[in-house]
Amino acid sequence: MFGKSTRLPLEIEALPGRSESMPVTEPHAVSSRSLLPPFPATMQTVLFGLGCFWGAEKRFWRVPGVYTTAVGYQGGITPNPSYEEVCTGRTGHAENVLVVYDPTAVSTYDLLKVFWENHDPTQGYRQGNDVGTQYRSALYWTTDEQADLAKRTRDAYETVLRARGFDPITTEVGPADGLPFYYAEPYHQQYLIKVPHGYDCHAETGIALPVL
């Protein structure tokens, strides 16, 4: 069943998608800021996948210095997919969080600390009870500094995880360039503010990221 797929689809298997993008008409339900660029020139953007994006987004919008967040689909084949299509496993996308932040108010390292410590990056195509390629761990950078810290924190975290008996890290780490971020449907945006007791599954390791 594709919805529980533990492999990414081949291009010939991928759903065709559509040319129309998802309308984004509402501001952020917490900050009231826009979810869409252009963002202030002083801001930076990084993208994270750490399982179901409902709880993942909440972990980032609470961080002081984060300007805005949004959830969407990234890293796959199908253009402008729907949530239902992503859930089939035939788009190749991960559920990702767009994080726009002020680097003078919160460091990239601090955001990476939130990322690594709030899921289990060793689980491959799953996160806890959520099984499928859409729940994979992913980290896509937009600056050279982010790229450097992404690699160094991954290596440092893997060292401490392996010492505690965990498998190797399976996180996709790479540039966001060439990987379009397709905004998810409006009801997914800031879901856990709209549905305070909604589903929030993350399989944290309980292990801190080492200080670099």
Side-chain angles (χ1 to χ4, degrees), residues 88-209:
T88 69
R90 293 182 60 194
T91 73
H93 292 292
E95 294 188 14
N96 277 10
V97 182
L98 172 76
V99 179
V100 182
Y101 65 103
D102 179 353
T104 68
V106 59
S107 70
T108 301
Y109 171 86
D110 286 338
L111 293 177
L112 289 166
K113 183 176 174 67
V114 173
F115 170 70
W116 292 118
E117 293 180 1
N118 280 277
H119 75 302
D120 183 345
T122 72
Q123 292 195 351
Y125 295 138
R126 68 180 299 156
Q127 197 61 213
N129 293 326
D130 294 330
V131 178
T133 55
Q134 77 200 73
Y135 302 115
R136 66 190 185 270
S137 177
L139 195 176
Y140 303 134
W141 63 70
T142 64
T143 72
D144 290 342
E145 185 232 15
Q146 291 172 5
D148 175 64
L149 285 172
K151 295 171 186 176
R152 290 202 289 135
T153 55
R154 176 198 58 195
D155 294 347
Y157 203 44
E158 183 169 70
T159 297
V160 297
L161 290 177
R162 294 297 298 274
R164 298 284 290 274
F166 284 84
D167 292 331
I169 282 177
T170 59
T171 306
E172 289 183 9
V173 178
D177 187 40
L179 298 175
F181 177 81
Y182 299 109
Y183 284 83
E185 294 81 348
Y187 74 92
H188 289 299
Q189 306 296 338
Q190 300 84 60
Y191 179 82
L192 289 179
I193 279 291
K194 302 168 184 175
V195 185
H197 301 293
Y199 182 68
D200 183 359
C201 170
H202 284 82
E204 295 93 341
T205 65
I207 298 173
L209 176 69

